[in-house]
Amino acid sequence: MARIVVIGAGLGAMAAAARLAVAGHRVTVYERGTTYGGAVGRFARDGFAFDTGPGLLHLPAVYRDLFVKTGKEPLEECVTLTQVDPASRHVFADDTRVDLPNASRAGTVAALDAALGAGAGERWGDFLVRAREAWDRTRRPLLEEPLPADPAPLAREPYPALKAGLLRRPTTTLAQVGARELRDPRLAALLDAYAWSYGFDPATAPASAAVLPYMEQTFGSWYVGGGLRALADAVYERCRKRRVEFVFDSPVEDVLEKDGRAVGVRLAGGGTVEADHVVSGAPVPALYRDHVVEWSRGDAVPHHQATGTGRVTVCLALRGPREAGAVHRTVVHAAGGLPTVTVLRPDDPALRPDADHESVTVTATVPTSPERDAAGWEAFADGMAEAAGRAVPGLRERLLWRHVRTPEDVRRDTGAAEVPGPALAGAGGRLLPAGNRSPLPGLWFAGGWSHPGGGLAHAGMSGALVAGFIVEGADFRGSQ
């Protein structure tokens, strides 16, 4: 039985902890904050509740596998999962609207044809065929297997170049894919929105980001009853049942090294904890920035993904019930100087004081570099709320109060203002996250900042990969 210290109680770290505990190891999690969940947070006030992190779950099979491997109760006995249908409503700059069904290729094609004109659905369908090629080429190495020692093949673009006569026109960015292949600004905006939702700027994201809409439209979108925070609750309880120990309000300030190997951690209070393995779920950049990991032997900082973007979340408490025909998720595309926003309106009694009120969450992706003061963020939130008004009738008149969460708030709670995205091939490898093996033997990386990247499903996969390495050894090759 090995002694294992886990830094941070995010979803990826807890997924690793539960699997390691089931394998017979003694696992203790040290979390610098007062609660678990990492980016999967919750804001509550006056009977209203809001997810401050992800609002929908994709690839729920990842958490089904976690619960099957760590206990008798399957995931669906611990949380309520509901497919979101329609998966999303899109409101474009010209006020054209389209509802896209959940996990139905034919339904999506028909909906786009009806809303945007004959041929629009076919162009989108043809694009998804090419996106599937990129998915098939990268699914195993980017999702199910450890990052290879030589990631050079993943630095090459897997999205197939579009044939134009006898020539192939290279498409190096997702924005170029939209302009050249979709040939409709509304379809291009639809494609762009998927990139923004994962924290990528389509003008710089590689063409391989086409796998993001393919993944959602193929495998579907799911809502967890009570909000995504309920999933964090369930994973935490699974860890507790497997005898994982949690210590909150306990920042780790140093990873201890002896004879070229991690042997424990030093806590902020000065105490030390010995360990045979250390699993870090903290943001990889923050570990080095805060000198938690810093070795005199001069190891280079491991590569890590840098999107340069964060998220602003505006929680809106509204009087009055949802109107008939309201949908769970609406993407309101940029128009008239207003930002592109995602509006989430879950019809969930757990998130509102009563049937005569509604909780609405509005999010937008923004660069993390521009400095804004409090007044600047409030002004930006004004624009987000105005854009959301195109999706929520009478929003201005119904508003009771709002709560604004900025990238700096995310930095305070998680250690990083950026929101990491899923690993993407191409782009010279710059959007590959850190590998699960750190440069220091005995120290492992789990969570959204490590392979296979950000997002709930990807974080859960990273926990499975780290547990696989520790339990099965260096020969571990990923899920089968």
Side-chain angles (χ1 to χ4, degrees):
M1 179 176 67
R3 300 164 300 175
I4 298 175
V5 164
V6 178
I7 304 173
L11 266 291
M14 289 198 295
R19 290 176 182 270
L20 289 167
V22 166
H25 300 301
R26 192 173 72 203
V27 184
T28 304
V29 178
Y30 291 90
E31 165 58 44
R32 69 176 192 166
T34 59
T35 188
Y36 51 86
V40 185
R42 167 67 56 88
F43 175 76
R45 172 183 160 190
D46 300 338
F48 295 89
F50 309 84
D51 282 323
T52 58
L56 292 174
L57 177 64
H58 307 291
L59 299 177
V62 173
Y63 288 92
R64 291 191 178 110
D65 180 71
L66 171 65
F67 277 70
V68 165
K69 300 289 177 58
T70 60
K72 296 180 180 179
E73 306 90 356
L75 177 64
E76 278 83 355
E77 286 188 13
C78 301
V79 298
T80 301
L81 287 178
T82 305
Q83 281 191 302
V84 176
D85 202 2
S88 57
R89 171 174 292 167
H90 290 262
V91 181
F92 296 102
D94 65 357
D95 210 37
T96 303
R97 299 175 179 234
V98 59
D99 288 356
L100 300 183
N102 197 340
S104 171
R105 177 79 59 84
T108 296
V109 168
L112 290 172
D113 272 342
L116 308 186
E122 180 180 5
R123 291 195 298 278
W124 184 260
D126 290 344
F127 154 72
L128 287 182
V129 170
R130 292 185 288 276
R132 178 177 179 175
E133 289 188 44
W135 171 265
D136 289 341
R137 293 170 181 172
T138 60
R139 177 180 61 87
R140 284 288 298 173
L142 283 188
L143 290 177
E144 299 170 2
E145 298 174 346
L147 198 65
D150 178 14
L154 292 175
R156 295 193 289 269
E157 177 57 63
Y159 183 81
L162 182 66
K163 292 182 180 180
L166 298 177
L167 302 176
R168 285 182 176 267
R169 303 177 65 188
T171 48
T172 59
T173 70
L174 194 68
Q176 289 177 330
V177 171
R180 293 176 178 177
E181 302 179 22
L182 299 178
R183 304 191 306 279
D184 183 313
R186 296 165 297 183
L187 286 178
L190 173 62
L191 178 58
D192 288 353
Y194 283 99
W196 285 119
S197 70
Y198 285 93
F200 298 114
D201 182 343
T204 58
S208 66
V211 300
L212 301 176
Y214 173 82
M215 178 181 69
E216 284 201 23
Q217 294 194 4
T218 301
F219 302 107
S221 301
W222 302 75
Y223 177 68
V224 179
L228 265 290
R229 179 67 185 180
L231 178 63
D233 295 339
V235 176
Y236 173 72
E237 290 301 326
R238 178 54 53 92
C239 286
R240 292 292 302 275
K241 289 181 179 179
R242 302 285 80 81
R243 300 183 185 278
V244 174
E245 182 181 356
F246 287 80
V247 184
F248 296 103
D249 291 316
S250 295
V252 171
E253 67 176 15
D254 194 13
V255 173
L256 303 178
E257 175 194 356
K258 182 179 180 181
D259 299 328
R261 180 179 177 82
V263 294
V265 298
R266 178 179 293 110
L267 303 178
T272 61
V273 182
E274 295 182 352
D276 299 296
H277 296 273
V278 176
V279 177
S280 177
V284 173
L287 289 174
Y288 289 86
R289 181 196 69 218
D290 298 338
H291 307 291
V292 175
V293 176
E294 186 174 47
W295 304 298
S296 59
R297 58 201 176 103
D299 285 324
V301 175
H303 167 82
H304 60 83
Q305 184 190 80
T307 61
T309 61
R311 291 203 180 97
V312 182
T313 301
V314 181
C315 305
L316 303 175
L318 305 184
R319 63 170 62 88
R322 294 164 94 243
E323 75 282 2
V327 300
H328 189 113
R329 173 172 58 169
T330 301
V331 179
V332 181
H333 296 266
L338 299 177
T340 293
V341 299
T342 298
V343 182
L344 296 180
R345 306 177 66 188
D347 188 9
D348 189 340
L351 303 185
R352 60 190 184 230
D354 53 50
D356 291 324
H357 293 84
E358 182 182 7
S359 297
V360 174
T361 304
V362 186
T363 59
T365 302
V366 296
T368 54
S369 53
E371 295 295 330
R372 286 189 176 94
D373 57 15
W377 284 120
E378 288 296 329
F380 188 79
D382 288 342
M384 291 175 62
E386 185 177 347
R390 300 175 65 204
V392 184
L395 186 151
R396 185 190 299 271
E397 294 74 22
R398 296 176 59 198
L399 182 63
L400 292 171
W401 51 263
R402 76 184 188 191
H403 171 76
V404 180
R405 181 174 169 83
T406 73
E408 286 307 309
D409 294 321
V410 177
R411 186 198 303 275
R412 180 197 64 225
D413 292 344
T414 69
E418 290 189 45
V419 178
L424 293 180
R430 64 181 175 83
L431 293 180
L432 296 175
N436 304 112
R437 294 198 235 207
S438 84
L440 180 67
L443 173 64
W444 308 89
F445 295 144
W449 286 95
S450 60
H451 181 71
L456 285 174
H458 293 70
M461 290 176 190
S462 78
L465 289 171
V466 167
F469 270 123
I470 294 174
V471 173
E472 299 186 27
D475 293 334
F476 176 65
R477 293 292 179 266
S479 62
Q480 302 300 318

